[in-house]
Structure formats: structure tokens, C-alpha cells
Amino acid sequence: MTPNSCLLARNLSFSFGENPAIHEISVEFTRGKITGIMGPNGSGKSTLLKCLSGIIEPHSGDVLAFGGLLSDFQDKISYIPQKEKIDWDFPITVKDLVRTSLYKSLKWYERFSAELIRLSDQAIQTMGLEGFENKQIGQLSGGQQQRAFLARALASNAEVFLLDEPFTGLDAKATEDLIRILKKIRDDGKSVIVVHHDFSNAALFLDEIILLKTTVLKFGSANEVINSPELRRAFGFPGMGQMH
Amino acid sequence: MDFLVNPVFINVLMGVVLISISTAAVGCFLYVQKNALLGETLAHGCLPGIYCVFIFSATRDLLWLSIGATLSGLLSSYLVDFIAAKSRISRDGAMAVVLSSMFGLGIVLLSFVQQNNYPNQNGLEDLFFGNAAAMSSKDIRIIGLISCGIWLLLITNYRKLLLILFDSDFAKFQGIRPRLYNSLISTLAAISVAIGMQTAGAVLIAALIITPAAAARIWCSRLVDMILLAVVFAIIGGSAGTLCSYAAPKMPTGPWVVVCMALIFFLSTLMKRIYLASLTSK
């Protein structure tokens, strides 16, 4: 693992029953970059992200973080799930959602310290959600909902942000805002790994792309992957490799 | 106001309120888990356990009957999970199969008890609709202790429960095991149902679990507020139901409590609509 990398996947494999979701994946994620995990439906993108976060244990292979075991650096990593995995009717406010990332540092009888409250308030402010703190999360727009989850990740002081299809259901304005926020997170020296579908805007914000179809078909800069023959092969569309 | 010094009334009131506040709290977790029908499944699933304990020990002691009811209720819960996981039957279909099967088994066991002239069997059939007036002071103490235990477990595990119910992937990411805490919710629900069977009975106990939670959810944006409001509704509904049954002594307490809680739910829904309409008209 080079000093410049944040996460290293080594020979990761995971299967659902007999069907392999990912197979023998080895890839090194560079610090301070936005890396996209892209590929057709069912190519194992979300499974790879969950293995990288430690949510699921790979059946073989392992993940290293910042040169050590993933479990030793779990605090440096944050995970933002797919939108459809969230119950938006759940009785939780933006403020409480952001503070869930701080639960780990508290015992059941401890209240939030002034420092923890400052951290969560700052994260809410950074994501432009002042005035929405006491709103139930279902009352937010799609873009605000994603920003609320990003605020939770920011409050935990994470160095690596793992996002599973964060652009799903966002309109053009909200997509643009989210891209700006992800770039700002990167410019602050943090690393972003994002499962993404849309090749039409990938080159706008992704520094690197991993093209996945159970195994890694191509890993390189965004333009390199978008213009590669492997992309056409992955999707089976002759013209896809020309998209920008 | 003579009821305030009537020891039977005070006994029933204490029992109903103690049961209502624990069922309401557990009900909030089931409600946000979108598992509201589990209360119904547990209630019907408790019956075989109660009658098995009676057949093997001939005891009517609430503690022993509650243990049997809890184990049998939990078996029903695991059967639902098993059928839903291992077959193509949906979860609500699995619940319908399990609750009706366990209810049928309960009736078979009760018939067995009645036909074989077991001693001390009078009142066992009350478990279908409840008979709060039959609660003894010892029963109240047992219910009080178990309710305290339920609340203690809910308070000490509140943050973990919230996380697994809201975002189980993030909970796993934080090192929390969703399966363990989902089992805790099912277990606490089974215990709440078991101690409430004598008051509301197998047919009505589910109302004590879900109605206060549903009435509170209408007003609250936070789980903790929802639980506290559900408890307030449960205390009001439980007390009002006990008072009604005292005023009409030939009618059982459990159904009155359920009717009062249903009224609270409808009033709560109506008030919310009026409140929202007043906001939009401003």
C-alpha cells in the first residue's frame, strides 16, 4: 500500500449463494480524489462499496485502510447508503440524523458534550442546512436529504466518504449542488468513493473510475475509462465509449 | 369518587397503567420497524405457551404463565421469520398463517384442559378477551417489575435500537448487530404481550401495543418524543378505560381500554387535520 492511498482492496470476492457478485478485485484508492465505481446493473458496485466500508465481510480477500487493518480505521470512514434503503417516514430530525454518527463515542447514559454539539452544528452549517435542523427528514427535498447524510459523515470527522448512488432521484440543480459539495470535500483533502450510474456527467467530477463487471474491467482516469473499449464491452453498446 | 378508595379499582388501574406504558413503548419500536402486526401474531402465539404451562404444572401463577406465553410468542415470531426467509410467502402472509395456527392450537389445548377436568382451571378462557379484575396484588408486583425491566432495556439500548431501525447498514458500519437488536425488540414485545394477556386478552392486546404509537406518530418528528407521547396516551386511555369499566361493572376492562385508546387515536388524527388546516389558512 503506497502512502498516498486511503483504501486498498486485495483479491476481494463475495457471492450471493452460487452467484459471484465480485470476484478477485484488487484496487488501490488514492487519497484526495473522487473515485467512481461504475458498471452495468448487477455488476457488484454496491457490494464492493459495502466490502470497502466493512458492512459486509468478503468471502475472500481483505481491505486495508491507511496502511492498517480496516477495523482499526473505521472511524476515518463514513458510509452513505442508497436512498431507497432509507425509511424517509422515520421519526428522526436532521439534527438527530447528523448526531447518529457520534453515538459511538457515547455511553448510553452520556449526553452530547458541547464539543460534539459544535461538530454536528458545524456539519449542518457546512452543508447549508441551517434552519432545517428540526425538520423530519422526509420533509426535505432530495438534494437536502443527501446533504443531511453528508453532514452526518462530516460530523464524524471522516477522511473517506463512501456514497452509494447519491444522485438517484436528484434534479439537475440538486445534482449540480451535490457535485460542487463532493468537489469541496475532495479539495479539503478528503477522499470520496462513489457508486455512480451516469456516464454523461462522470467526467465532470470523477478523477478516477473503476469499471466493474464482477471483476475490474478497467481502472484509470475518468476520460481514459469513458473512452475505452472495455466500456463498450461492459454494456454491450458499440457507441458508449464515445461519451463525454 | 368512592372508586378512589376502592382497593379493587386501584389494583386494576395500577395493573392496566403499568401494562399500557410498557406495551406503548415497545409498540413505538414495532411501529417504526413497520412490523405493527407482530403484536397480533405474538398475542395469538402466546396462547399455546400459557396452556402448556398450565397442563404441565397446573399453576395459575402469572410469572410462570408469562414465561410460557413469552416463549410461545417468540416461537411464533421466529416461525414468521423462518417462513418469510425460506419460502416465497411474504412476511404478512407468514404472520397470517402463524397467528391463526397458534390461535387454533391454543383453542385445542384449552379444550383439552376443559375436557380433562384439570383443577384450578376456572378463568383460563378469560385469556381470549382478558379479565383485569382478576389481577391480584402479587400479579401487579410482577407486572411492575417486568415493566421496569422492559423500560430499563429500552433506555439503555435506545440509541442502538434507533440506529438499526433507521439505517441498518450504518448500524452495521458502527459495529452494531441488527439481528441481535431486532431480536431484542421481538423479545420485549413478546414479554409485554405476555404480561398484558390477563388484562386485554389475546384478541385485544395488539391494540394496546400499536394504537398509542400510531396516535403519537401523527404529532412527533422524533422517536423519543413519539415514545413519551404514546406513554401519555396509554396512561390516559388505560385510566379512562378502567374508569368506564368501573362505571359499568358488568363490562370487562380490556375492551373499554381498547375503545378509549381508539378514541384517542381518532381524536388525535382529527386534531392534527384541524391543526394543519389552520396553518394553511393563515
Side-chain angles (χ1 to χ4, degrees):
Chain A
M1 191 168 187
T2 63
N4 204 27
S5 69
C6 56
L7 288 176
L8 173 67
R10 295 191 302 193
N11 302 316
L12 288 186
S13 295
F14 187 91
S15 304
F16 292 106
E18 297 287 301
N19 307 316
I22 52 174
H23 182 68
E24 294 284 322
I25 288 185
S26 295
V27 66
E28 189 163 4
F29 294 88
T30 317
R31 285 191 207 199
K33 286 198 171 174
I34 306 178
T35 307
I37 302 176
M38 303 186 78
N41 289 338
S43 57
K45 303 183 293 291
S46 295
T47 307
L48 173 59
L49 199 74
K50 284 185 180 178
C51 284
L52 292 173
S53 68
I55 289 173
I56 56 174
E57 282 275 317
H59 292 153
S60 64
D62 58 5
V63 178
L64 297 180
F66 300 99
L69 291 172
L70 179 63
S71 52
D72 293 338
F73 290 90
Q74 202 86 47
D75 293 348
K76 299 251 176 229
I77 299 164
S78 71
Y79 173 80
I80 298 171
Q82 276 180 34
K83 218 176 163 203
E84 55 263 37
K85 294 263 178 174
I86 299 298
D87 172 13
W88 296 103
D89 194 36
F90 195 92
I92 189 168
T93 60
V94 171
K95 188 166 70 182
D96 289 339
L97 164 66
V98 173
R99 290 183 185 179
T100 56
S101 67
L102 308 170
Y103 281 178
K104 219 178 170 182
S105 51
L106 294 173
K107 297 207 165 47
W108 68 267
Y109 53 84
E110 284 179 326
R111 296 171 72 90
F112 288 99
S113 65
E115 173 60 14
L116 291 179
I117 290 172
R118 190 191 62 76
L119 266 177
S120 72
D121 288 351
Q122 197 177 29
I124 288 170
Q125 200 181 355
T126 308
M127 286 297 131
L129 290 168
E130 311 101 308
F132 295 94
E133 296 94 332
N134 295 317
K135 289 256 183 223
Q136 192 267 338
I137 52 162
Q139 295 174 335
L140 304 178
S141 69
Q144 288 167 337
Q145 286 170 344
Q146 282 298 353
R147 282 190 272 144
F149 275 87
L150 277 164
R152 175 171 80 173
L154 275 183
S156 69
N157 246 336
E159 289 293 321
V160 182
F161 291 65
L162 305 174
L163 296 92
D164 201 348
E165 301 190 25
F167 295 96
T168 305
L170 297 192
D171 61 21
K173 171 77 173 65
T175 301
E176 203 178 293
D177 286 346
L178 187 55
I179 287 176
R180 186 177 45 77
I181 288 166
L182 294 181
K183 282 180 170 175
K184 170 147 190 350
I185 291 171
R186 175 199 56 195
D187 295 343
D188 289 343
K190 300 179 191 292
S191 313
V192 180
I193 299 170
V194 51
V195 170
H196 189 50
H197 264 304
D198 188 357
F199 280 92
S200 67
N201 64 8
L204 290 178
F205 71 106
L206 296 177
D207 301 310
E208 293 175 328
I209 293 177
I210 298 165
L211 183 62
L212 205 66
K213 196 174 180 183
T214 310
T215 58
V216 176
L217 295 182
K218 180 86 179 166
F219 181 31
S221 71
N223 279 324
E224 200 182 322
V225 173
I226 287 169
N227 292 306
S228 68
E230 284 85 356
L231 184 67
R232 280 181 297 222
R233 215 171 66 217
F235 287 88
F237 297 139
M240 265 208 87
Q242 304 307 313
M243 293 178 77
H244 290 275
Chain B
M1 300 291 274
D2 62 322
F3 59 87
L4 287 175
V5 289
N6 183 330
V8 176
F9 173 80
I10 299 293
N11 217 30
V12 173
L13 181 67
M14 279 175 64
V16 168
V17 167
L18 282 170
I19 288 162
S20 300
I21 58 177
S22 54
T23 50
V26 173
C28 289
F29 289 93
L30 288 181
Y31 185 91
V32 298
Q33 195 182 29
K34 300 200 185 299
N35 206 6
L37 271 179
L38 185 70
E40 194 77 47
T41 311
L42 291 172
H44 289 71
C46 278
L47 285 171
I50 292 173
Y51 295 130
C52 279
V53 167
F54 183 78
I55 288 167
F56 288 110
S57 66
T59 180
R60 291 281 305 279
D61 186 90
L62 180 69
L63 185 62
W64 287 108
L65 293 184
S66 296
I67 290 170
T70 303
L71 292 176
S72 175
L74 279 176
L75 175 68
S76 307
S77 167
Y78 290 121
L79 275 175
V80 169
D81 290 341
F82 181 79
I83 293 170
K86 301 287 178 190
S87 72
R88 296 180 69 183
I89 298 172
S90 63
R91 194 171 164 78
D92 63 331
M95 281 184 181
V97 169
V98 171
L99 80 85
S100 50
S101 307
M102 295 297 269
F103 193 60
L105 181 61
I107 293 171
V108 168
L109 290 171
L110 176 64
S111 307
F112 178 80
V113 169
Q114 287 169 335
Q115 282 167 16
N116 286 281
N117 295 321
Y118 276 80
N120 196 23
Q121 62 167 276
N122 284 344
L124 275 182
E125 67 282 357
D126 287 345
L127 293 171
F128 288 100
F129 295 106
N131 183 4
M135 274 190 288
S136 66
S137 300
K138 189 187 168 200
D139 292 343
I140 306 292
R141 282 197 297 276
I142 292 170
I143 291 168
L145 270 175
I146 295 176
S147 293
C148 286
I150 290 170
W151 271 90
L152 188 69
L153 283 167
L154 289 179
I155 291 168
T156 53
N157 291 289
Y158 174 76
R159 286 173 181 153
K160 287 174 180 165
L161 291 171
L162 183 146
L163 262 188
I164 63 122
L165 291 173
F166 172 59
D167 185 354
S168 63
D169 276 348
F170 187 73
K172 276 188 229 165
F173 180 72
Q174 296 250 315
I176 300 165
R177 286 183 292 169
R179 190 178 277 191
L180 177 72
Y181 288 93
N182 278 320
S183 298
L184 177 66
I185 294 172
S186 301
T187 307
L188 294 181
I191 296 171
S192 308
V193 165
I195 59 168
M197 290 284 276
Q198 195 165 350
T199 309
V203 180
L204 297 172
I205 185 73
L208 264 62
I209 293 179
I210 290 305
T211 317
R217 177 65 190 91
I218 295 166
W219 294 98
C220 301
S221 298
R222 303 174 73 218
L223 182 58
V224 66
D225 297 343
M226 180 181 163
I227 294 168
L228 295 175
L229 188 58
V231 167
V232 171
F233 286 156
I235 292 171
I236 295 171
S239 307
T242 312
L243 267 174
C244 288
S245 75
Y246 182 79
K250 288 194 175 159
M251 297 174 79
T253 310
W256 269 120
V257 171
V258 172
V259 167
C260 290
M261 285 189 184
L263 270 175
I264 290 172
F265 172 76
F266 287 116
L267 277 175
S268 179
T269 311
L270 187 68
M271 296 293 284
K272 181 71 180 192
R273 279 187 166 268
I274 293 169
Y275 172 71
L276 288 177
S278 72
L279 281 185
T280 47
S281 64
K282 272 182 190 171

